[in-house]
Amino acid sequence: MAKGLDSAYAAGQRGFYWLKVKRARALDLVILAAEWGHGRRRGWLSNILLTHSFFQQAK
């Protein structure tokens, strides 16, 4: 987990200022569907359905 240097620290809590950092892999994904969030996610796209192509591009 990582936090912005300019955000406040609150013991035992994570908020929107915290980001989960994982090893990155490059994936070519396509968004098929998304829903608008509810509650604290209101105004953000949420529940995103993704897929990837099983076909290789011609080189």
Side-chain angles (χ1 to χ4, degrees):
M1 300 299 290
K3 174 182 83 60
L5 293 175
D6 57 342
S7 62
Y9 175 76
Q13 294 182 340
R14 287 190 303 217
F16 286 109
Y17 298 109
W18 287 85
L19 302 172
K20 187 175 282 190
V21 179
K22 295 182 178 183
R23 287 187 172 185
R25 285 188 185 167
L27 296 174
D28 291 325
L29 301 174
V30 177
I31 299 173
L32 296 178
E35 298 177 4
W36 287 106
H38 302 279
R40 72 178 195 178
R41 291 190 174 100
R42 183 182 178 98
W44 292 83
L45 287 176
S46 168
N47 298 334
I48 300 172
L49 179 62
L50 302 170
T51 189
H52 64 90
S53 174
F54 291 101
F55 303 104
Q56 293 183 356
Q57 294 179 346
K59 292 183 178 182

